[in-house]
Amino acid sequence: MIEYGLLCSGVKHSFSPLIHKKLFGVDYDVFDVQPEKLGEFLSRRDFCAINVTVPYKTAVMKYLDSASAEALAIGAVNTVVNSGGRLCGYNTDVFGFERLIAASGAGIAGKTVLIGGTGGTAKTAAYVLKHLGAGKTVMLSRSIDRGDTTYENAYAEYGDAGVFVNTTPCGMYPGIDSVPVDITRFPDLFAVIDVVYNPLTTRLVYEARENGVPVCVNGLYMLVAQAAEAGRYMYGAEAGVSAIEDLYQTLLHELSNIVLIGMPGCGKTTVGSVVAARLKRSFYDIDTTVEMSRGKSISEMMSHYGAEAFRDAETDAVKSLSGLNGAVIACGGGTPIRRENMRLLRANGRVIYIERPVSKLPLGDPRPLSSSREAVEALFLAREPIYKNSCDKHIFSAETADKTADRVISAFGEHI
């Protein structure tokens, strides 16, 4: 018999096995079941307990023998327990979403809240928001037949909304470059809450922060909190608020990439290798990734194809690395020039700018733009504002790679 796991379809990567292992010490699998096989999977009843995620939180209900009053009121289930052959459904997303709202500090009372999506998580969000005193909740859908209004109509009808909640998979790994709405068309937003947890910073949350929305959070805290609540039903085990908070912070630290930026020759690759070795993380160098993918050195690419072609190859490398978790990534000196690169790297990364005295930066090959001391100084003046605007932490170091690594590790811990 299968014991515990997650019922889903098309979810490429889930943190749930890691969370349940850390909270309760159980082995927990992912069951990717096609829609036409859902009934067969549930009818076999060969599991102890499972969690349920997209797209089955509503669909599973017709296969259950009973459901909690809360789950029935919402019309969605995310936890199913096999109790002596009877399938009993619960909705622990209620607790998870409540805890996410509380942790975010977003004041909901009296506000108009737009909910992207109409599925089980959207219904749960609407249920919680109503109990928190939201003035109005509006479900958005691509089709007017399913939601209260469409996404496009919402721009005109609810342009003064105070909160936007995304409950759709839009922006979820691997499709991290998509957003459900144009956040700039809701100028009065004070909170954006995205239940997507992978990547750690969705494009929606990133753009909301860029546009000055005060409260911007993703769904990782909700995922941990609902798992803690699910443990009561699945394993008969308790995990309190302190355990939720501790695990959330641990996951942020373990899953976040350390992304190093700075001038050519400032030591990103050397320091990054030291940091990775100390923290037992994988190390990736964007310049090396580009060279391996193209079969040429950076100097050769710049000489044969020009700077723009090299930058395109660099962006391809960024895209390939941005979905990683828990890695150390050393950027090329010019990687931050393209805002797209930094948005992608910040999806799962915390960016640390290493500034080294210009007088100590090396010259010449393999750094085409550092041919002379004057060239390096001019390059620094041009790029310093970009580096500062692209980073979460800025460290200055003229010291050894080991001591600079100490500073990077300390800065990373402070940011988390």
Side-chain angles (χ1 to χ4, degrees), residues 102-256:
S104 74
I108 298 298
K111 301 296 191 300
T112 296
V113 183
L114 304 181
I115 302 173
T118 59
T121 307
K123 293 174 182 177
T124 300
Y127 177 88
V128 172
L129 291 164
K130 178 180 178 181
H131 283 267
L132 292 177
K136 186 179 182 66
T137 58
V138 184
M139 286 190 183
L140 310 184
S141 174
R142 294 189 188 91
S143 170
I144 193 64
D145 299 331
R146 300 184 63 187
D148 297 315
T149 191
T150 65
Y151 288 94
E152 190 61 36
N153 289 343
Y155 296 129
E157 296 172 5
Y158 300 102
D160 60 349
V163 180
F164 180 79
V165 179
N166 177 46
T167 68
T168 75
C170 187
M172 183 173 71
Y173 178 84
I176 67 173
D177 213 26
S178 58
V179 287
V181 293
D182 179 355
I183 213 70
T184 64
R185 297 179 68 178
F186 298 109
D188 296 327
L189 287 176
F190 77 94
V192 167
I193 299 165
D194 195 341
V195 303
V196 172
Y197 58 84
N198 185 13
L200 299 173
T201 301
T202 61
R203 182 169 181 176
L204 175 69
V205 168
Y206 180 90
E207 291 185 354
R209 288 174 180 164
E210 289 285 289
N211 282 278
V213 178
V215 177
C216 305
V217 294
N218 83 332
L220 183 61
Y221 196 99
M222 177 181 173
L223 183 70
V224 175
Q226 69 80 23
E229 180 71 359
R232 294 201 303 118
Y233 302 106
M234 298 175 73
Y235 323 118
E238 297 284 343
V241 173
S242 62
I244 294 170
E245 182 64 30
D246 288 347
L247 180 53
Y248 171 70
Q249 294 297 334
T250 296
L251 289 174
L252 273 185
H253 192 276
E254 291 181 357
L255 296 171
S256 294

Side-chain angles (χ1 to χ4, degrees), residues 138-397:
V138 184
M139 286 190 183
L140 310 184
S141 174
R142 294 189 188 91
S143 170
I144 193 64
D145 299 331
R146 300 184 63 187
D148 297 315
T149 191
T150 65
Y151 288 94
E152 190 61 36
N153 289 343
Y155 296 129
E157 296 172 5
Y158 300 102
D160 60 349
V163 180
F164 180 79
V165 179
N166 177 46
T167 68
T168 75
C170 187
M172 183 173 71
Y173 178 84
I176 67 173
D177 213 26
S178 58
V179 287
V181 293
D182 179 355
I183 213 70
T184 64
R185 297 179 68 178
F186 298 109
D188 296 327
L189 287 176
F190 77 94
V192 167
I193 299 165
D194 195 341
V195 303
V196 172
Y197 58 84
N198 185 13
L200 299 173
T201 301
T202 61
R203 182 169 181 176
L204 175 69
V205 168
Y206 180 90
E207 291 185 354
R209 288 174 180 164
E210 289 285 289
N211 282 278
V213 178
V215 177
C216 305
V217 294
N218 83 332
L220 183 61
Y221 196 99
M222 177 181 173
L223 183 70
V224 175
Q226 69 80 23
E229 180 71 359
R232 294 201 303 118
Y233 302 106
M234 298 175 73
Y235 323 118
E238 297 284 343
V241 173
S242 62
I244 294 170
E245 182 64 30
D246 288 347
L247 180 53
Y248 171 70
Q249 294 297 334
T250 296
L251 289 174
L252 273 185
H253 192 276
E254 291 181 357
L255 296 171
S256 294
N257 298 322
I258 301 174
V259 179
L260 304 179
I261 64 172
M263 284 285 288
C266 73
K268 300 181 294 294
T269 299
T270 304
V271 171
S273 298
V274 174
V275 170
R278 287 195 194 168
L279 299 181
K280 295 181 172 57
R281 291 173 172 238
S282 298
F283 175 71
Y284 300 87
D285 181 89
I286 288 179
D287 283 349
T288 301
T289 303
V290 171
E291 290 178 337
M292 291 179 64
S293 69
R294 296 301 194 266
K296 293 183 181 296
S297 71
I298 292 173
S299 295
E300 288 173 331
M301 278 184 274
M302 295 279 275
S303 174
H304 293 169
Y305 306 119
E308 196 64 19
F310 164 68
R311 293 300 172 204
D312 290 341
E314 183 177 55
T315 296
D316 288 341
V318 166
K319 289 177 179 177
S320 72
L321 298 176
S322 60
L324 297 171
N325 288 113
V328 179
I329 301 172
C331 294
T335 303
I337 291 173
R338 288 190 177 179
R339 289 172 59 86
E340 176 191 7
N341 290 341
M342 299 317 299
R343 175 177 58 76
L344 288 166
L345 287 166
R346 293 180 92 165
N348 281 325
R350 303 297 173 262
V351 180
I352 298 173
Y353 165 31
I354 300 175
E355 182 182 352
R356 190 170 180 81
V358 175
S359 60
K360 292 183 176 292
L361 295 176
L363 306 179
D365 191 70
R367 302 170 182 86
L369 302 182
S370 303
S371 56
S372 67
R373 186 61 56 199
E374 292 76 16
V376 170
E377 290 173 351
L379 189 64
F380 174 75
L381 290 175
R383 287 188 178 173
E384 184 188 27
I386 299 173
Y387 293 146
K388 287 184 175 179
N389 288 333
S390 300
C391 72
D392 298 298
K393 286 286 185 177
H394 176 191
I395 63 172
F396 185 89
S397 180

